[in-house]
């Protein structure tokens, strides 16, 4: 059969040409939309912007039909990028905001995240936690609560760390480092044995009763491992022991000025001991302080804490004084400092009428001094505790 070319101004070829041009415009529009989406994410990551869509997303080039009997080639419509086709930097950021339960499902759905579920499983398997669902209850992604070999209750949800298990802990710690994660530890005897295998960022609960020598050994190990301590909790039992042994208070104060501590939380029912009050301004990285109430701030030179930007009070509204008086006392203290944010935990029996109280009583007083509620509505933390916050300016 002899093929013949279309005559000039062939109607069918003109229709095909119009169709092809229309599809090409559609493809260009999709490519531009895709490029805008990628660049918006890259801006968030402070990465250089792309000028064109990666070649793997482009449709294959086709040529127009030259013959009447030939079927015209239509450019392939580009496939919508999947989650796994996104840049690794963006995928890593996504995983950092996913919950413990969801990270397991995400690891099964997206092959890129498989290393996360594998690291969790490898660490938990020798501990006889056979399923990932059981493991997730012990892991608050992207963090993990660990305890030493001799730690007791009430830390029922924590994981023991045998010495022979350090290599898999170190592997999981590398995963946590990649996703801005951290480990939560206590000061049990033996904890210092695995400090070197932990992530670069840790949270420390000091609450166990121990001798002066062991106290110095624990804080010394924290200093030697050069970890960044996001929060140090000094508990009630710890201070009860310190009251009977003044040497422990002096030892604690000595190490507080050497450790890289971002937030210090006092969980004692009494006031902050003088030995610790006197050195808070010397803590090199202290940016957040958590105390019980306004009375516990007495004697603390907050204005001398150059990096302190956040103050949290867990029992501001406990007591006989009116909320207005307590807020005024608080403002008299913080207005002379560099603190930019105040957070107040709210008592449970106030939750039914506290929102109106905040707006009618406390908020006008805060606003009068240049403080504004942030966030605007009351918020609950991870354990269900309701709190309100105010920012300066």
């Amino acid at each position: 059969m002899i093929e013949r070319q279309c005559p000039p101004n062939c109607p069918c070829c003109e229709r095909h040409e119009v169709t092809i041009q229309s599809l090409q415009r559609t493809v260009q529009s999709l490519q531009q939309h895709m490029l805008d989406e990628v660049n918006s994410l890259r801006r968030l990551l402070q990465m250089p912007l792309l000028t064109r869509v990666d070649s793997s997303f482009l449709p294959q080039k086709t040529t127009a039909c030259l013959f009447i009997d030939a079927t015209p080639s239509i450019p392939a419509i580009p496939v919508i990028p999947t989650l796994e086709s996104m840049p690794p930097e963006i995928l890593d950021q996504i995983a950092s905001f996913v919950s413990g339960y969801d990270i397991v499902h995400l690891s099964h759905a997206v092959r890129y995240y498989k290393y996360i579920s594998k690291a969790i499983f490898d660490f938990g398997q020798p501990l006889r936690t056979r399923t990932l669902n059981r493991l997730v209850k012990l892991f608050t992604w992207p963090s993990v609560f660990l305890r030493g070999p001799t730690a007791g209750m009430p830390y029922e949800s924590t994981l023991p760390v045998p010495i022979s298990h350090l290599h898999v802990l170190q592997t999981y710690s590398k995963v946590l480092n990649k996703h801005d994660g951290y480990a939560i530890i206590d000061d049990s005897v033996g904890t210092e044995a695995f400090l070197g295998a932990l992530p670069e960022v840790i949270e420390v609960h000091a609450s166990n009763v121990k001798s002066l020598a062991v106290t110095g050994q624990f804080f010394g190990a924290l200093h030697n491992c050069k970890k960044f301590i996001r929060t140090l909790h000094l508990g009630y039992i710890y201070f009860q022991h310190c009251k009977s042994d003044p040497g422990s208070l002096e030892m604690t104060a000595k190490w507080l000025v050497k450790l890289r501590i971002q937030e210090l939380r006092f969980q004692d029912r009494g006031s902050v001991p003088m030995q610790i009050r006197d050195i808070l301004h010397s803590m090199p990285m202290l940016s957040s302080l958590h105390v019980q109430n306004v009375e516990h701030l007495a004697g603390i030179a907050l204005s001398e804490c150059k990096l302190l930007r956040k103050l949290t009070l867990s029992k501001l509204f406990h007591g006989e004084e009116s909320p207005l008086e307590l807020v005024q006392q608080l403002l008299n203290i913080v207005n002379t400092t560099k603190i930019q944010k105040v957070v107040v935990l709210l008592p449970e029996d106030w939750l039914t009428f506290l929102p109106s109280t905040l707006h009618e009583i406390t908020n006008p007083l805060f606003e009068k001094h240049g403080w504004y509620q942030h966030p605007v509505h009351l918020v609950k933390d991870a354990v269900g505790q309701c709190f309100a916050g105010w920012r300066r300016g």
Side-chain angles (χ1 to χ4, degrees):
M1 179 178 180
I2 299 177
E3 295 180 349
R4 62 186 180 86
Q5 292 184 343
C6 295
N9 301 323
C10 175
C12 66
C13 287
E14 290 180 354
R15 288 195 301 273
H16 292 323
E17 184 66 25
V18 171
T19 301
I20 291 173
Q21 292 176 357
S22 175
L23 289 172
Q24 287 177 339
R25 287 193 296 271
T26 301
V27 170
Q28 291 174 356
S29 176
L30 290 172
Q31 290 176 359
Q32 185 60 47
H33 178 72
M34 187 188 310
L35 185 62
D36 293 342
E37 289 272 338
V38 172
N39 281 335
S40 65
L41 295 170
R42 293 177 74 89
R43 286 191 189 94
L44 294 176
L45 299 175
Q46 298 182 352
M47 297 174 60
L49 303 183
L50 302 178
T51 57
R52 62 184 180 84
V53 179
D54 188 86
S55 59
S56 62
F57 296 133
L58 293 176
Q60 299 296 321
K61 293 183 178 180
T62 58
T63 56
C65 173
L66 297 178
F67 306 105
I68 293 178
D69 297 334
T71 302
S73 297
I74 300 177
I77 298 177
V79 179
I80 297 176
T82 63
L83 182 61
E84 197 163 8
S85 67
M86 301 182 74
E89 298 87 351
I90 297 178
L91 292 174
D92 293 340
Q93 287 293 318
I94 292 174
S96 301
F97 294 97
V98 175
S99 67
Y101 282 100
D102 291 335
I103 195 63
V104 174
H105 298 300
L106 187 62
S107 299
H108 291 165
V110 181
R111 184 175 301 178
Y112 176 84
Y113 296 120
K114 188 65 177 178
Y115 70 95
I116 297 178
S117 60
K118 184 179 186 304
I120 294 176
F121 188 80
D122 288 346
F123 179 64
Q125 189 176 29
L127 305 176
R128 297 181 179 180
T129 50
R130 297 299 183 183
T131 66
L132 282 177
N133 285 335
R134 168 61 178 159
L135 280 174
V136 168
K137 294 180 181 179
L138 304 175
F139 290 79
T140 308
W141 173 263
S143 63
V144 58
F145 202 137
L146 305 171
R147 65 178 175 86
T150 62
M153 300 303 171
Y155 302 118
E156 298 179 1
S157 63
T158 63
L159 295 174
V161 183
I163 300 301
S164 59
H165 198 40
L166 293 185
H167 65 287
V168 287
L169 171 59
Q170 195 168 26
T171 299
Y172 184 61
S173 294
K174 291 180 180 178
V175 174
L176 291 176
N177 287 335
K178 185 175 182 179
H179 296 283
D180 300 324
Y182 58 95
I184 307 171
I185 64 172
D186 61 12
D187 57 345
S188 305
V189 175
T191 301
E192 59 271 12
F194 58 81
L195 286 176
L198 295 179
E200 295 301 317
V201 180
I202 60 176
E203 181 175 319
V204 182
H205 292 252
S207 58
N208 292 284
V209 177
K210 54 176 65 65
S211 66
L212 179 62
V214 176
T215 299
Q217 181 180 354
F218 174 73
F219 282 116
L222 286 177
H223 179 262
N224 293 335
C225 72
K226 303 185 186 306
K227 302 295 184 184
F228 179 78
I229 303 176
R230 66 191 302 269
T231 306
L232 173 62
H233 301 256
L234 295 178
Y236 171 71
I237 298 177
Y238 183 85
F239 278 116
Q240 287 297 107
H241 169 67
C242 289
K243 289 177 181 177
S244 62
D245 184 2
S248 294
L249 273 178
E250 296 175 1
M251 177 71 72
T252 302
K254 166 191 169 183
W255 286 111
L256 288 182
V257 298
K258 295 182 178 181
L259 297 172
R260 298 194 301 160
I261 301 171
Q262 180 182 33
E263 179 181 38
L264 187 59
R265 291 194 179 192
F266 295 102
Q267 298 172 308
D268 188 16
R269 300 170 189 171
S271 59
V272 179
M274 177 186 66
Q275 293 90 332
I276 295 180
R277 290 200 311 263
D278 293 344
I279 56 87
L280 290 180
H281 68 280
S282 299
M283 295 179 64
M285 301 183 69
L286 183 65
S287 62
S288 178
L289 183 64
H290 187 136
V291 297
Q292 297 281 306
N293 51 47
V294 175
E295 293 179 357
H296 290 183
L297 296 173
I300 301 179
L302 295 180
S303 60
E304 297 181 15
C305 299
K306 302 303 182 183
L307 299 180
L308 187 62
R309 297 294 183 270
K310 179 181 177 182
L311 177 64
T312 302
L313 297 98
S314 55
K315 295 183 178 180
L316 174 64
F317 297 117
H318 289 253
E320 298 179 356
E321 296 180 88
S322 70
L324 192 61
E325 293 174 330
L326 292 170
V327 170
Q328 185 62 64
Q329 293 175 24
L330 174 61
L331 289 171
N332 291 340
I333 295 174
V334 298
N335 282 341
T336 60
T337 72
K338 294 184 178 181
I339 294 172
Q340 298 296 315
K341 183 176 182 180
V342 171
V343 176
V344 176
L345 275 65
L346 306 175
E348 294 181 2
D349 56 343
W350 278 39
L351 297 184
T352 56
F353 60 89
L354 188 56
S356 61
T357 302
L358 283 175
H359 289 293
E360 296 174 4
I361 300 179
T362 60
N363 275 0
L365 185 55
F366 271 106
E367 293 174 2
K368 179 181 178 181
H369 289 265
W371 294 78
Y372 300 92
Q373 190 173 352
H374 179 83
V376 177
H377 302 288
L378 301 183
V379 180
K380 286 189 177 181
D381 59 17
V383 296
Q385 174 70 60
C386 198
F387 66 89
W390 291 267
R391 285 189 180 275
R392 193 194 297 264

